Amino acid sequence: MNSLVRTGQNSSFAADPARYDALMSVLRDRVTARAFNAAYPMPRDHIELVMDAAAQAPSGANAQPWHYVAVTNAATKRMIAGQFASEHARRVAANEAGRARRALHRLDYEALAGAPGFIVVVLDPRMTWAFPGLMDGSELDQPYHANSERILLQSVAASVMAAHLAATALGYQTWWVSALGFDDARAAIVRELAIPRDLRVTDLLLFGPSLEPATPRWKKERRQILSWDKFDMDNFRTVEQIDEWIGELHGNNAIAAPGSPPKHIR
Ligand SMILES: Cc1cc2nc3c(=O)[nH]c(=O)nc-3n(C[C@H](O)[C@H](O)[C@H](O)COP(=O)(O)O)c2cc1C
């Protein structure tokens, strides 16, 4: 049904719980996988269907500041995976040399190369010009401009999320990867994919059949994320609680593996 025909102009409006349930089942099925069946031949039209979903996302000022490069070449996938893996290895080495406050869990970023659906997410920072600011660098403009960078990132995230849900609806598992901070690693990827220098690589969007059964990770309950009318201080965490929470996340590996909620959240 075309949702445009569902107006609130007369008393015939009725919510559609069945459609909500269908959406919730896709949302619940979206579980991060970190190893895919590399031998699976991803149909090109599945990549296109996922991209059609990405294109439907809302964005600030309808700027649609995203672009996607679908990588099909195995050597290119390996090269990009190598950038993520070597950056991660450098962080792990620094961590083990005692330069961090807590242990860093290890992830196998070489496994990125095995993703049958392998898409590099690209952002166009120039699209902040689409936002109705002064764009004159003035004192009045600067806070607005800083906010426009956030709007850009939020917009790209909305598009990427739509793509993840579409891939999930097709039956795939997905992996959202943003752990790339070094400029040289980004530059290598940009060169390899002939991405214009004005644009920025933000993440990878990976999908395919998972090698292992994907088990949902813990999620906060509704009461923990929702306040009515005024902020419910039961859900405000002190710095100590946040510290304990992060420590437990790393301790029980709940980022990388299915885990139970940290103690004070239960
Ligand atoms: C913006 C964003 C960035 C992420 N970056 C990474 C990443 O760099 N590496 C990684 O292994 N997982 C990454 N993830 C996946 C999260 O670790 C994962 O979503 C989280 O642990 C919750 O698990 P779930 O996706 O199974 O619900 C990212 C997810 C999001 C939304």
Side-chain angles (χ1 to χ4, degrees):
M1 178 176 51
N2 183 343
S3 53
L4 288 177
V5 302
R6 294 168 63 79
T7 75
Q9 286 174 19
N10 56 41
S11 57
S12 68
F13 177 84
D16 190 341
R19 217 170 175 208
Y20 172 85
D21 289 346
L23 174 63
M24 281 304 283
S25 96
V26 176
L27 284 161
R28 291 204 176 96
D29 284 351
R30 188 216 51 80
V31 175
T32 296
R34 289 194 174 84
F36 298 97
N37 176 1
Y40 175 79
M42 176 63 69
R44 207 176 170 92
D45 67 311
H46 284 186
I47 293 180
E48 290 169 348
L49 289 173
V50 167
M51 290 295 97
D52 287 347
Q56 295 310 310
S59 57
N62 201 16
Q64 306 177 48
W66 48 74
H67 189 83
Y68 295 94
V69 180
V71 177
T72 58
N73 178 289
T76 308
K77 289 182 185 179
R78 279 197 300 277
M79 176 266 164
I80 295 172
Q83 296 295 334
F84 279 81
S86 64
E87 183 169 321
H88 184 62
R90 282 165 72 180
R91 281 197 299 269
V92 168
N95 181 261
E96 286 171 0
R99 301 226 311 263
R101 279 169 63 220
R102 44 174 72 90
L104 191 70
H105 63 267
R106 289 159 175 275
L107 291 173
D108 174 16
Y109 281 119
E110 300 286 358
L112 300 172
F118 191 113
I119 296 175
V120 177
V121 183
V122 180
L123 172 147
D124 190 340
R126 298 167 305 169
M127 293 311 287
T128 54
W129 302 339
F131 302 141
L134 296 170
M135 298 307 293
D136 59 0
S138 65
E139 228 170 88
L140 192 60
D141 185 52
Q142 280 169 19
Y144 184 88
H145 192 69
N147 190 42
S148 66
E149 302 271 319
R150 282 196 290 277
I151 299 171
L152 270 191
L153 279 175
Q154 287 171 319
S155 301
V156 172
S159 173
V160 172
M161 186 63 191
H164 276 262
L165 293 180
T168 306
L170 287 169
Y172 297 119
Q173 262 81 48
T174 67
W175 189 2
W176 186 326
V177 192
S178 60
L180 195 66
F182 295 154
D183 287 344
D184 51 349
R186 256 173 228 282
I189 296 171
V190 160
R191 247 192 331 272
E192 178 75 17
L193 303 180
I195 294 171
R197 290 168 65 95
D198 291 319
L199 309 185
R200 199 163 85 217
V201 169
T202 59
D203 346 47
L204 300 182
L205 153 55
L206 307 177
F207 58 95
S210 174
L211 273 185
E212 285 152 18
T215 318
R217 298 179 174 85
W218 72 273
K219 299 290 171 194
K220 289 183 190 172
E221 291 169 23
R222 183 203 295 146
R223 66 178 169 80
Q224 296 167 316
I225 64 164
L226 172 67
S227 300
W228 294 95
D229 298 320
K230 290 213 191 306
F231 192 94
D232 180 352
M233 287 304 285
D234 279 355
N235 288 322
F236 178 76
R237 283 186 234 153
T238 62
V239 171
E240 291 73 31
Q241 284 173 321
I242 291 175
D243 221 36
E244 183 193 355
W245 180 52
I246 296 171
E248 279 193 52
L249 271 184
H250 285 243
N252 72 11
N253 209 16
I255 296 172
S260 52
K263 284 201 291 288
H264 77 273
I265 283 195
R266 263 169 236 154

